[in-house]
Amino acid sequence: MVGGGLTGIETAAELAEQGRTVTLVCGRTLAPSLSAPARRSVATWLSRHGVAVLEAEVVTEVRPHAVVFAGAAVRASALTIWAAGFGVPELAAASGLRTDRLGRLLTDETLTSLDDDRVIAAGDAAAPSGRPLRMSCQAAQPLGAQAADTVLSRIAGTEPAVIDQAFTGSCVSLGRRGGIRQLSRKDDTAVNLYVAGRMAAAIKEATCRLGVSRIRREARKPGSGFWPKGGPRPEQPTSAPRGVTSP
């Protein structure tokens, strides 16, 4: 298992609970988005369930039946699951419009391209003010709604609203009966407060069910979506220069 973030941890935990032999290669830090106490709790659970955690090791190559580490060491692997980070579609970078180093379209706080106000970016493909929100389900729905509202505002000839979103933390399941619910400040900075064990597992399950129900409700009643607001974002100039504006 390659990747010490929440996806890698959840996958490793599920496999370990099924009796599989699992090695988790973190690349730097186990669960870097969690607070130090929560990370220790995750590490304890993984250790108790037989997961070998290689926190500082870095994988540079995946072969059919092995992985290669940064120091050139080769380790056999019957199955390698890659969970070392999300990718960004190549469309923005190929368009010639400005992007950040990962290829996310550079936009203002309304998700409108800095180069062409006919182009709107959504979700993980956007880097508003060069400060993209964390790739997560928490940000996905609000940014999707924001992009749709911006399109409607442009069509109507009104000024689009800017991003207004706050984070509340994150959930990570540890098998079927355990987990971590990490709390955070509105700017997505983890605090030293978390819920662990069965209660956290129940919160994670409820969160997943809530996500599905919100999608269904939005389909029935467009515009009914809601999310925590008030997170810090850069202030915007009253009018930002654009590139192409004519059809």
Side-chain angles (χ1 to χ4, degrees):
M1 189 79 222
V2 182
L6 304 189
T7 302
I9 290 168
E10 287 191 339
T11 307
E14 291 285 345
L15 292 172
E17 200 169 68
Q18 294 176 23
R20 306 291 184 179
T21 300
V22 182
T23 298
L24 179 61
V25 184
C26 298
R28 194 167 54 244
T29 304
L30 176 68
S33 64
L34 302 184
S35 63
R39 284 199 298 272
R40 288 194 292 269
S41 182
V42 170
T44 298
W45 191 99
L46 293 174
S47 177
R48 287 176 177 171
H49 288 78
V51 179
V53 177
L54 305 181
E55 195 161 8
E57 296 289 348
V58 176
V59 171
T60 58
E61 181 185 352
V62 176
R63 297 175 180 174
H65 301 290
V67 292
V68 181
F69 292 94
V74 179
R75 183 165 180 166
S77 175
L79 172 67
T80 302
I81 301 175
W82 190 269
F86 297 104
V88 178
E90 298 178 355
L91 178 60
S95 71
L97 300 173
R98 281 180 288 174
T99 62
D100 69 3
R101 63 182 183 83
L102 292 182
R104 290 173 289 213
L105 188 70
L106 289 174
T107 73
D108 63 14
E109 289 293 294
T110 72
L111 300 181
T112 304
S113 167
L114 296 181
D115 300 315
D116 189 335
D117 60 12
R118 300 171 301 177
V119 179
I120 313 299
D124 298 343
S129 303
R131 287 176 48 186
L133 285 77
R134 173 165 56 90
M135 292 182 177
S136 63
C137 58
Q138 267 187 92
Q141 181 199 4
L143 290 176
Q146 175 80 43
D149 286 345
T150 296
V151 170
L152 293 175
S153 293
R154 296 289 182 197
I155 292 172
T158 58
E159 187 65 27
V162 298
I163 296 170
D164 187 4
Q165 180 183 351
F167 284 91
T168 63
S170 55
C171 290
V172 53
S173 63
L174 296 171
R176 296 293 83 201
R177 295 178 294 278
I180 294 289
R181 172 63 171 105
Q182 171 70 64
L183 301 181
S184 77
R185 299 182 180 89
K186 290 183 178 181
D187 66 356
D188 203 26
T189 303
V191 299
N192 290 332
L193 183 61
Y194 69 96
V195 179
R198 290 182 179 272
M199 178 61 74
I203 294 173
K204 175 62 185 282
E205 184 66 22
T207 300
C208 293
R209 292 180 183 274
L210 177 62
V212 175
S213 69
R214 289 170 71 174
I215 293 172
R216 289 173 175 164
R217 184 178 63 247
E218 183 70 21
R220 293 193 305 269
K221 187 179 179 182
S224 63
F226 62 92
W227 53 86
K229 297 181 179 179
R233 295 297 303 170
E235 290 191 17
Q236 296 294 290
T238 54
S239 62
R242 301 282 175 187
V244 179
T245 56
S246 58

